[in-house]
Amino acid sequence: MPEVAAADALAPGGRRRQAGRAGLASGGALLAALALAAAAGPALRGVDPRRQLDPAFAGHLAPGARVESIELADGRTLAAERIERDGDSLRLHGRVAELRVATAALAAPDPARAVRVERFPLGTDQFGRDLAARLLAGGRVSLTVALLAVGLALAVGVPIGLASGLAGPRTERAALGLIEAAQAFPRLFLLVALAAVTRPGWTPLVLLLGLTGWMPVARLVRAEVRSLAHRDFVLAARAAGVGPLRLALRHLLPNALAPVAVEGSLGAASAIVAEATLSFLGLGLPPPVASWGGMIADGRDALATAWWVSVFPGLALVVAALAFNLIGEGLRDRFDPRALRLEA
């Protein structure tokens, strides 16, 4: 028996199932970590991502930098990389500046030294904004836009695919022509052209991404419905007098959900990259809203001196797209008919 189990595990179907499970587990773990970090951003990093320190002092601070500030008797606030008290005098080390932000926005004061300390684990951008806070806020924006866009694409593509798969030859050809005509335009150029003439905002961005991503879903659902239309259970349902709507919703759609889930996961990866591309080009959500694409664009002119401004959001974008792709690949391997036949 152990030899048989080992042989089954080494078979193509066994290897595919193992790869599918590994992809689902790793992709799910990555996506869960990103979603939890983005959702808990205000608790993990209790700093307003829009808050700006004096750019002349706090602009492009390196990862791990810290700022110490102290309020003087005349109401001014001095900041430096390190502040030491020597009796009634102060020693300020490193860059020194007079902050032009409310001292209440900084961390709580040290009771022993009356010095406020703030750390920047990922550094700051050119405006002195905390990069870690903006990275977490950008994660909430990018993930939310991608998921809403995929939901819209599924809401449009699934009904069109069902209708075209069940319709007669003329209606099917017309629906297929519509799908192919909509898919003939390169999505990136279409997104850029439409975004350039629409008003920036959440709703236009989700509509643009969703209404340009439904075509693969519709084609996939249509193909699945056409392949299921001659199965025995469908013929039996028709013989029993089941109507077209109930046949589609009760018998055909549940059996087509597996490939739709795969396409949805892969579509989410495409949507999050498309949103970042639009934000990079300045056609996404307007500043000061944080998004990964906009953060990458903020640091493109300072890659040699402040690489962290673009690298950290770029890595987050790669991890998010990889997570969605791993989930999609894992679902595809898990629901592959060839693997299921071998398993049976």
Side-chain angles (χ1 to χ4, degrees):
M1 294 297 293
E3 289 81 2
V4 175
D8 289 341
L10 293 175
R15 288 196 298 268
R16 186 178 289 270
R17 290 194 302 275
Q18 290 179 354
R21 295 191 191 100
L24 279 174
S26 56
L30 285 175
L31 185 58
L34 285 174
L36 286 175
L44 293 176
R45 189 68 183 160
V47 177
D48 187 351
R50 299 169 298 179
R51 186 195 58 149
Q52 298 183 18
L53 297 179
D54 188 349
F57 169 73
H60 287 160
L61 292 179
R66 55 181 285 165
V67 171
E68 297 187 2
S69 62
I70 188 168
E71 187 174 356
L72 304 180
D74 58 4
R76 293 180 301 150
T77 299
L78 292 182
E81 296 177 12
R82 187 162 58 91
I83 299 176
E84 293 182 354
R85 299 185 71 109
D86 186 6
D88 294 333
S89 62
L90 297 174
R91 291 183 180 179
L92 300 108
H93 302 270
R95 289 192 293 178
V96 180
E98 180 180 346
L99 288 184
R100 292 182 174 84
V101 297
T103 56
L106 295 174
D110 186 338
R113 299 171 59 192
V115 173
R116 303 173 188 269
V117 180
E118 185 172 16
R119 292 175 174 82
F120 300 92
L122 299 184
T124 63
D125 63 7
Q126 68 271 31
F127 299 111
R129 296 177 296 193
D130 187 286
L131 200 63
R134 291 185 62 77
L135 187 70
L136 295 172
R140 292 193 295 275
V141 170
S142 298
L143 291 175
T144 301
V145 169
L147 294 177
L148 290 177
V150 169
L152 178 59
L154 294 177
V156 174
V158 170
I160 292 178
L162 274 174
S164 62
L166 289 172
R170 292 184 178 179
T171 305
E172 181 191 4
R173 285 196 296 269
L176 186 59
L178 171 65
I179 295 172
E180 290 179 347
Q183 204 169 10
F185 295 96
R187 189 185 186 192
L188 179 58
F189 295 115
L190 183 61
L191 281 172
V192 171
L194 293 175
V197 298
T198 58
R199 192 172 185 178
W202 281 85
T203 301
L205 185 59
V206 171
L207 289 175
L208 287 176
L209 293 174
L211 295 179
T212 57
W214 61 269
M215 292 81 74
V217 178
R219 291 181 68 96
L220 181 62
V221 173
R222 172 190 167 276
E224 287 294 318
V225 169
R226 297 292 293 176
S227 67
L228 293 170
H230 302 290
R231 299 286 182 89
D232 291 340
F233 70 93
V234 176
L235 296 177
R238 282 177 171 166
V242 175
L245 182 60
R246 184 179 179 187
L247 180 68
L249 298 180
R250 181 82 179 270
H251 299 279
L252 293 175
L253 183 58
N255 289 280
L257 286 181
V260 169
V262 175
E263 182 60 35
S265 299
L266 299 177
S270 176
I272 202 169
V273 173
E275 184 275 330
T277 302
L278 291 178
S279 297
F280 181 85
L281 296 175
L283 300 174
L285 295 176
V289 178
S291 68
W292 288 340
M295 294 173 66
I296 295 172
D298 288 341
R300 61 184 170 183
D301 295 329
L303 287 175
T305 56
W307 54 267
W308 54 88
V309 179
S310 293
V311 167
F312 288 127
L315 289 176
L317 180 63
V318 169
V319 171
L322 178 63
F324 282 118
N325 277 311
L326 285 174
I327 292 174
E329 294 290 341
L331 289 173
R332 184 167 60 186
D333 293 339
R334 177 66 181 85
F335 295 116
D336 188 354
R338 292 172 296 178
L340 293 177
R341 285 197 298 268
L342 288 172
E343 186 175 5

